[in-house]
Amino acid sequence: MRKLVLFLTLGVFIASCGGKKEEKKDGFEVSRTKKEDKKAQSKEGVPVDLDNNGVGPIKDLEFPSDIDSEMAARGEATFSSICIACHMVDQRMIGPAMKGVYERRSPAWVMNMILNPDGMLKEDPIAKALLKEYNNAIMLNQNLTEEEARDVAEYLRTL
């Protein structure tokens, strides 16, 4: 009899693991199975949203298929002199790791965050969620030109 009760309890437990999960996090409502849970959240615990272009001068940006090595080299130099204070390539620091950023954010969102961090932190739900996730560490405006920001964006593609 004990084995039967144990077997039934184990069966109920296993069956409950595959159910749907409804979650509302920082203004985002997400419905998914538990297997999809890890895919729908970035490493920061902030929802992945590739459709959000953010708030700022860049309304849409699509990268060409090939990486421009000259732009990427200029972007790497800029990243190494300015961004590295808060961002590492593949490790969380004061700000998020940059490796794989385009798997979590759209190119336009990244450009707007570089060019307009103040506006993004005030109005964009993902930027607000990241601010909360990183203990209110505010990204400072580095006053980069669109060309310099595009160089950094190109470098981030190489990571």
Side-chain angles (χ1 to χ4, degrees):
M1 185 67 172
R2 285 183 183 169
K3 288 182 182 178
L4 180 62
V5 172
L6 179 62
F7 181 73
L8 289 174
T9 304
L10 184 60
V12 169
F13 178 72
I14 290 172
S16 69
C17 289
K20 287 274 186 182
K21 180 179 180 181
E22 298 270 339
E23 179 180 329
K24 189 164 187 173
K25 180 169 180 142
D26 296 321
F28 296 96
E29 191 167 318
V30 181
S31 177
R32 60 185 173 267
T33 64
K34 290 185 180 184
K35 288 182 181 179
E36 296 170 322
D37 195 26
K38 288 184 181 179
K39 292 180 184 177
Q41 294 286 332
S42 66
K43 290 179 182 176
E44 299 99 13
V46 176
V48 172
D49 188 352
L50 298 173
D51 295 325
N52 180 349
N53 288 334
V55 177
I58 310 302
K59 302 303 177 205
D60 191 30
L61 174 64
E62 289 190 30
F63 291 131
S65 58
D66 294 332
I67 292 174
D68 184 324
S69 58
E70 288 180 24
M71 284 177 74
R74 289 190 308 262
E76 182 177 15
T78 302
F79 183 89
S80 296
S81 65
I82 296 173
C83 309
I84 203 79
C86 297
H87 297 279
M88 293 183 77
V89 170
D90 57 2
Q91 188 175 338
R92 178 183 173 127
M93 203 164 119
I94 295 169
M98 294 289 95
K99 185 174 183 178
V101 69
Y102 297 118
E103 295 168 10
R104 303 182 304 268
R105 310 285 173 252
S106 72
W109 190 96
V110 172
M111 286 281 294
N112 282 322
M113 193 65 189
I114 294 169
L115 294 169
N116 183 34
D118 302 325
M120 290 283 285
L121 293 170
K122 287 179 185 172
E123 298 178 37
D124 183 75
I126 291 178
K128 288 179 183 181
L130 285 167
L131 180 65
K132 187 176 181 180
E133 178 72 22
Y134 286 85
N135 300 316
N136 294 321
I138 295 173
M139 181 167 160
L140 301 175
N141 191 336
Q142 300 299 320
N143 297 310
L144 297 179
T145 65
E146 280 191 28
E147 184 178 326
E148 291 167 326
R150 180 61 181 86
D151 290 345
V152 171
E154 191 73 7
Y155 166 64
L156 296 177
R157 291 179 65 196
T158 68
L159 304 178

